[in-house]
């Protein structure tokens, strides 16, 4: 009975902390301005199924994709077991679903194989990050916290899965000894290899091990859910809405600024009829996170810092300061900062995303080639943010490299980026 | 004019390449309108295609192919203007929309329905960014139109001097990733009976030449390498006879890269339109 109360209390605390954090994240995302959704829902669902659920873009890098698939399937399927653990905890039962018969043993067997694959995946990922030191995990923006964040998650996953397997091994021995409550689950595929290591323990010690692992597992999962919201691992949830809301039109197409359209129309014809767009922002371009759209902010929270974008960025590969991943990490960091200031009633306009986080030099290194958006396994669009920041620099602050100013003047005066006369455009036909 | 044409022709006999434009007259939309005709296709030449000496050769190759296939086409000539692409990518939406609206006004006045262009940046802007401002056209990249012309039997392509040659294609970002067209240029290379070889980074994974996003018009930011050098190394690794391009800016960047690597005598950089025109001795 006491165990049940403790369990319910823990569940409540964990749930409450997670809920509070998720509200914080949601509010931060909704700091972004609203944006009209183009296209139809069917296409959006399709993208989500293909890219997020189907992991479609992961497989361009097959090795990482296979091990990631282990973790992904493990996460999705083993969580069925968590339902039983929670019900057991609340109701004070033991293996509530065991009654369903042979299928139960089959399921537990399948979970064990997945748990084992998750451990393999995590070990491989730890090696890739810390031993092989794959370049994209070690760029400039991968400072202490982003690196620790990745390792914490991987180690926690290994610990949780090990506890799950050890718990089953202890249970098998206890069941074989005929200890009350403990159920026979047949020959389990993975935990049977742990059994020999536990054979020497007394039944009392085994019960303690089994109970410890059970509590460790469920408390670990609750802690994990709360931790998620502080971590880059939020992608396991946000990948789904993020792909759903990702852009449907060709990657080359940049958004049309309707607030500019109206001004240009009036400039060309003062009597022109213009329709005010209710969603049009007051500023031209973005200076801070609140000037970005909520989809762009959702992008930032969905980024798991894998660095595929940066590893294919032509600017980054040739030693320039720009890293598309840093654009997303900066956006998220600034969003968290603004969120905290808002909660504490503090002023936050002394800093901004543009300038304090993302610099002029980074923005101007972009070739708008879309390699980053193509590479992102969850359809994040760093280019969109880069363009919005450039728009602010250009249209609100008249800041651009000198040669760009010359180019723009040429376009304005001669209708070409170079200083050639428009009248000469057809000269080639006579040459 | 006649004398000039004759002179050009003599040069052509010797060089068999880069023949002048004396064999036929490229008309403007204004000419056509004055004659009461409506051409089927507007050939959008673009700024590079109009003014850059190297790119003008590509422009001429496209015009010759269109002429050869009896496509009824015209250009805007002095009525054409920058699409506004570099302004938009640099963040100057005002200038972009001003250019776009002026161009749209001109094109709509001529009742333009179909556009072909040799520049993927113009292609992307006209196709994707003009509709929101009232410009709705069927827009094709020249490789797409040439592919269509071959499919319709209006143009036949043979290998000519490129038969069996090793040719690689450098995907322009705004044709490939930007608009999902990877096949048309490759189909045309294969039509030349050439050996199509891919660089290690190609199609969706293709590396930019370094010119996009208004970079063409500025110095690169501080780094340890130029993007076009990085890309040229991809090509050098497979030693093709020709690096085929589909964008005047990529062409410039790759040509510079090959020059820098001192490989100009071994590797040629040519637009797909030039390959087709040269193979057909146009």
């Amino acid at each position: 009975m006491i165990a049940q109360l403790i369990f319910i209390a823990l569940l409540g605390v964990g749930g409450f902390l997670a809920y509070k954090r998720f509200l914080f994240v949601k509010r931060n995302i909704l700091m972004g301005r609203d944006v009209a959704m183009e296209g139809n829902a069917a296409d959006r669902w399709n993208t989500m199924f293909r890219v997020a659920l189907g992991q479609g873009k992961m497989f361009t890098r097959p090795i990482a994709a296979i091990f990631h698939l282990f973790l992904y399937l493990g996460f999705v399927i083993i969580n069925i077991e968590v339902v039983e653990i929670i019900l057991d905890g609340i109701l004070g039962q033991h293996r509530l679903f065991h009654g369903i018969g042979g299928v139960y043993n089959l399921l537990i067997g399948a979970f064990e194989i997945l748990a084992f694959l998750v451990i393999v995946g995590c070990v491989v990922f730890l090696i890739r990050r810390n031993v092989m030191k794959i370049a994209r995990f070690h760029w400039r923006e991968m400072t202490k916290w982003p690196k620790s964040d990745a390792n914490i998650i991987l180690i926690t996953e290994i610990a949780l899965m090990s506890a799950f397997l050890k718990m089953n091994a202890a249970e098998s021995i206890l069941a074989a000894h005929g200890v009350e409550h403990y159920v026979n689950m047949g020959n389990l595929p993975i935990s049977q290899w742990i059994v020999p290591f536990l054979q020497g323990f007394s039944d009392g010690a085994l019960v303690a091990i089994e109970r410890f692992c059970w509590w460790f597992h469920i408390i670990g999962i609750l802690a994990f859910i709360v931790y998620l919201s502080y971590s880059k691992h939020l992608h396991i949830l946000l990948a789904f809405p993020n792909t759903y809301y990702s852009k449907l039109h060709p990657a080359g197409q940049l958004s049309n600024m309707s607030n500019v359209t109206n001004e240009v129309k009036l400039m060309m014809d003062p009597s022109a009829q213009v329709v005010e767009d209710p969603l049009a922002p007051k500023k031209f371009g973005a200076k801070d996170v609140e000037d970005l759209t909520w989809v762009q902010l959702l992008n930032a929270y969905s980024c798991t810092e894998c660095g595929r974008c940066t590893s294919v960025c032509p600017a980054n590969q040739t030693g320039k300061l720009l890293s598309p991943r840093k654009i997303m990490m900066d956006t998220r960091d600034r969003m968290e900062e603004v969120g905290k200031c808002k909660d504490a009633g503090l002023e936050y306009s002394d800093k901004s995303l543009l300038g304090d986080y993302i610099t002029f030099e980074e923005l101007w290194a972009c070739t708008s080639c879309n390699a980053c958006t193509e590479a992102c396994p969850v359809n994040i669009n760093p280019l969109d943010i880069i363009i919005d920041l450039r728009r602010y620099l250009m249209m609100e602050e008249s800041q651009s490299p000198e040669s760009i100013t010359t180019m723009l003047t040429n376009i304005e005066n001669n209708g070409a980026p170079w200083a050639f006369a428009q009248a000469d455009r057809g000269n080639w036909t006579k040459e | 004019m006649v004398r000039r044409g004759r002179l050009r022709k003599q040069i052509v006999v010797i060089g068999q390449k880069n023949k002048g434009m004396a064999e036929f007259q490229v008309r403007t939309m204004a000419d056509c309108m004055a004659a009461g005709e409506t051409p089927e296709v507007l050939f959008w030449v673009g700024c590079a295609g109009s003014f850059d000496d190297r790119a003008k050769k590509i422009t001429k190759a496209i015009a010759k192919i269109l002429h050869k296939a009896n496509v009824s086409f015209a250009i805007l000539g002095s009525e054409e203007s920058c699409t506004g692409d570099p302004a938009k990518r640099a963040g100057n939406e005002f200038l972009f929309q001003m250019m776009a609206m002026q161009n749209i006004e001109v094109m709509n006045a001529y009742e333009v329905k179909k556009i072909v262009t040799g520049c993927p940046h113009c292609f992307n802007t006209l196709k994707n960014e003009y509709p929101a401002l009232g410009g709705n056209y069927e827009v094709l990249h020249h490789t797409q139109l040439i592919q269509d012309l071959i499919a319709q039997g209006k143009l036949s392509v043979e290998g000519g001097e490129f038969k069996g040659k090793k040719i690689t294609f450098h995907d322009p970002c705004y044709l490939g990733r930007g608009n999902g067209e990877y096949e048309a240029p490759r189909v045309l290379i294969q039509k030349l009976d050439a050996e199509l070889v891919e660089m290690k980074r190609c199609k969706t994974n293709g590396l930019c030449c370094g010119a996009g996003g208004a970079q063409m018009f500025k110095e690169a930011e501080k780094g340890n390498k130029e993007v076009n050098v990085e890309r040229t190394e991809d090509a050098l690794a497979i030693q093709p006879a020709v690096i085929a391009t589909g964008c005047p800016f990529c062409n410039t960047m790759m040509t510079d890269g090959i020059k820098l690597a001192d490989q100009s005598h071994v590797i040629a950089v040519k637009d797909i339109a030039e390959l087709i025109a040269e193979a057909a001795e146009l």
Side-chain angles (χ1 to χ4, degrees), chain B:
Chain B
M1 280 313 287
V2 176
R3 275 192 62 189
R4 196 175 165 190
R6 220 178 267 159
L7 185 68
R8 292 271 167 189
K9 262 200 160 170
Q10 280 168 0
I11 297 168
V12 163
V13 174
I14 304 160
Q16 281 299 335
K17 274 180 192 172
N18 299 325
K19 290 181 203 175
M21 293 299 295
E23 282 164 28
F24 66 97
Q25 180 61 44
V26 176
R27 298 181 305 169
T28 61
M29 292 301 276
D31 293 340
C32 294
M33 194 177 227
E37 291 170 42
T38 314
E40 194 193 325
V41 179
L42 167 67
F43 174 21
W44 184 276
V45 181
C47 299
S50 302
F51 296 121
D52 181 87
D53 283 336
R54 176 67 188 85
K56 277 197 253 183
K57 292 180 185 166
I58 304 171
T59 307
K60 290 174 194 170
I62 297 173
K64 287 172 188 169
I65 293 167
L66 296 179
H67 178 68
K68 169 88 176 170
N70 285 320
V71 175
S72 129
F73 77 100
I75 60 169
L76 282 170
S78 59
E79 287 187 280
E80 188 186 283
S81 214
C82 173
T83 57
D85 160 82
K88 189 171 175 96
R89 265 106 204 125
N92 194 332
E93 183 81 4
F94 273 98
L95 184 53
F96 161 70
Q97 293 199 9
M98 273 164 56
M99 302 312 291
M101 284 190 210
Q102 286 166 19
N103 285 324
I104 289 167
E105 212 168 85
V106 172
M107 288 192 285
N108 287 356
Y110 286 122
E111 295 178 6
V112 169
K113 301 272 182 303
K114 189 170 176 179
I115 306 175
V116 63
T117 177
C119 172
H121 297 267
C122 297
F123 165 72
N124 175 67
T125 304
L126 294 167
K127 176 174 171 281
N128 299 321
E129 291 164 358
Y130 274 30
L133 300 167
N136 294 289
Y137 320 101
E138 181 195 350
V139 187
L140 295 174
H141 184 251
H142 64 290
T143 55
Q144 296 174 322
L145 181 64
I146 296 170
Q147 194 190 7
D148 285 352
L149 292 173
I150 294 171
Q152 293 162 10
K154 291 180 182 164
L155 186 73
S156 60
V157 173
E158 275 168 40
E161 59 174 298
F162 302 108
K163 202 166 181 172
K165 287 243 172 85
K166 212 164 153 182
I167 300 181
T168 190
F169 182 67
H170 163 78
D171 289 281
C173 302
Y174 277 86
L175 184 64
R177 274 191 298 269
N179 286 287
E181 181 60 84
Y182 302 102
E183 284 314 305
R186 288 182 168 78
V187 167
L188 296 182
I189 291 174
Q190 280 159 342
K191 292 264 186 216
L192 290 168
D193 287 332
E195 182 198 349
L196 173 64
V197 285
E198 297 291 356
M199 290 183 263
K200 68 172 183 205
R201 290 181 273 201
C202 63
K203 299 183 182 173
T204 53
N205 195 30
L207 182 71
C208 173
C209 71
Q215 292 290 335
M216 184 72 191
F217 309 102
K218 64 185 272 292
E219 287 300 314
E221 297 304 315
K222 209 166 84 241
N224 52 30
K225 204 182 205 176
E226 292 294 334
V227 177
N228 67 329
V229 171
E230 173 87 8
R231 184 49 165 169
T232 304
E233 286 170 3
D234 285 355
L236 292 177
I238 53 165
Q239 282 293 316
V242 180
I243 300 172
T245 62
C247 169
F249 299 105
C250 296
N251 193 303
T252 303
M253 297 306 255
M254 297 309 287
T255 304
D256 287 353
I258 290 294
K259 265 187 208 154
L260 213 68
D262 201 17
Q263 295 288 312
S264 313
H265 55 293
V266 199
I267 302 175
V269 180
K270 282 179 188 292
D271 193 277
I272 301 256
E274 292 180 294
L275 297 178
I276 290 186
E278 282 176 30
E281 297 188 3
L282 294 177

Side-chain angles (χ1 to χ4, degrees), chain A residues 60 250-265 267-268 284 311-315 317-321 360-374 383 387 390-392 394-395 400-401 403-404 407-409 411-412 414-418 420-431, chain B residues 1 4 8 20-21 25-26 43 45-51 56 59-60 63 75 77-82 86-99 101-102 105 124 127-129 132-133 173-174 177-179 182 201 204-205 207-208 210 212-215 217-227 230 249:
Chain A
T60 49
Q253 180 181 340
L254 296 182
S255 64
N256 187 64
M257 294 178 69
S258 57
N259 48 352
V260 171
T261 309
N262 284 347
E263 294 212 14
V264 173
K265 273 187 182 159
M267 202 158 62
M268 291 173 76
F284 296 120
S311 74
V312 295
C313 172
Q317 286 176 80
T318 53
K320 277 91 177 170
L321 213 51
F360 190 82
E361 187 179 336
E362 290 168 80
L363 293 177
W364 279 104
C366 176
T367 66
S368 74
C369 75
N370 268 303
C372 55
T373 61
E374 178 73 40
L383 175 59
I387 294 292
R390 277 191 186 183
R391 282 170 170 171
Y392 184 87
M394 182 70 76
M395 292 187 282
S400 61
S403 46
I404 291 289
M407 179 268 287
L408 295 172
T409 311
I411 292 182
E412 211 170 333
N414 329 314
W418 302 288
F420 291 111
Q422 192 166 359
D424 293 341
R425 275 200 176 248
N427 286 5
W428 63 271
T429 60
K430 299 181 187 70
E431 287 170 359
Chain B
M1 280 313 287
R4 196 175 165 190
R8 292 271 167 189
M21 293 299 295
Q25 180 61 44
V26 176
F43 174 21
V45 181
C47 299
S50 302
F51 296 121
K56 277 197 253 183
T59 307
K60 290 174 194 170
I75 60 169
S78 59
E79 287 187 280
E80 188 186 283
S81 214
C82 173
K88 189 171 175 96
R89 265 106 204 125
N92 194 332
E93 183 81 4
F94 273 98
L95 184 53
F96 161 70
Q97 293 199 9
M98 273 164 56
M99 302 312 291
M101 284 190 210
Q102 286 166 19
E105 212 168 85
N124 175 67
K127 176 174 171 281
N128 299 321
E129 291 164 358
L133 300 167
C173 302
Y174 277 86
R177 274 191 298 269
N179 286 287
Y182 302 102
R201 290 181 273 201
T204 53
N205 195 30
L207 182 71
C208 173
Q215 292 290 335
F217 309 102
K218 64 185 272 292
E219 287 300 314
E221 297 304 315
K222 209 166 84 241
N224 52 30
K225 204 182 205 176
E226 292 294 334
V227 177
E230 173 87 8
F249 299 105

Side-chain angles (χ1 to χ4, degrees), chain A residues 158-179:
Chain A
I158 293 174
L160 288 177
M161 293 302 114
S162 305
F164 172 70
L165 292 172
K166 211 167 158 191
M167 176 179 88
N168 286 353
E171 174 119 18
S172 312
I173 304 170
L174 290 166
H177 291 181
V179 179

